[in-house]
Amino acid sequence: MRNGYDDAAAVAYARRWAMARNPIYLDFHGLGGDCTNFVSQCLYAGSGVMNPTPVYGWYYRTGNDRTPSWTGVEYLYRFLTANKGAGPYASETDAAGAQPGDVVQLALRGAGFSHTALIVAVRDGEHYVAAHTLDSWMRPLSDYRQPVRRFLHILGVRGDR
């Protein structure tokens, strides 16, 4: 537990839903990808707190009533690294500082970040992730073809569970 963030609960959620879809949430697979939606679900499982601020917050009520940060790679990054209100907050770190329950985002060289995954294990210097769109559980991060990675270490959660 890190300042209200239950990383074990986030990883347990990822284990349960990495290869399936939680029917509570819309599947964005055919709508641009489900990766950030899935990671947001994991983060919510570990935090228990959404940020209801319109536009700049982080919440999901329905597929049509959600913030861009719930499903968008760059928007989630901006929310987590700038959040001063309710919900999870993070800082960018290097690979050595990333732990299970943290987030990794991937990009091709010269391109914007386009994929989000949840780190579920770190063993012998290798990070293993869970992700959607190409559903994965315990996939080695080294298997991804995107060479540019940014790691977001979840520092904690603000607000009531």
Side-chain angles (χ1 to χ4, degrees):
M1 182 84 77
R2 312 176 213 162
N3 296 317
Y5 180 64
D6 187 343
D7 50 0
V11 170
Y13 184 95
R15 180 181 303 115
R16 167 64 182 94
W17 294 106
M19 306 306 287
R21 297 294 184 273
N22 184 335
I24 295 170
Y25 300 96
L26 181 65
D27 179 1
F28 289 88
H29 179 77
L31 303 169
D34 199 53
C35 63
T36 305
N37 175 44
F38 172 67
V39 169
S40 285
Q41 292 172 40
C42 295
L43 293 174
Y44 181 61
S47 68
V49 179
M50 292 184 189
N51 182 315
T53 307
V55 183
Y56 299 108
W58 176 75
Y59 68 83
Y60 179 101
R61 294 184 186 114
T62 70
N64 293 320
D65 186 6
R66 68 189 190 311
T67 51
S69 59
W70 191 271
T71 54
V73 176
E74 277 301 321
Y75 294 108
L76 179 62
Y77 171 81
R78 288 183 208 148
F79 172 77
L80 289 173
T81 59
N83 181 27
K84 303 289 185 222
Y89 56 97
S91 66
E92 199 164 340
T93 189
D94 60 10
Q99 304 169 10
D102 287 343
V103 175
V104 60
Q105 295 186 317
L106 310 172
L108 294 171
R109 292 197 198 292
F113 286 87
S114 61
H115 187 61
T116 305
L118 188 82
I119 298 168
V120 296
V122 180
R123 294 187 187 129
D124 299 323
E126 176 72 75
H127 293 80
Y128 295 86
V129 300
H132 269 189
T133 304
L134 177 57
D135 295 359
S136 303
W137 169 250
M138 288 295 289
R139 181 176 177 183
L141 189 56
S142 60
D143 280 0
Y144 282 88
R145 64 184 180 93
Q146 298 98 325
V148 181
R149 287 97 193 263
R150 68 179 171 203
F151 296 89
L152 301 173
H153 177 63
I154 306 300
L155 298 168
V157 178
R158 293 186 194 91
D160 295 329
R161 278 184 162 265

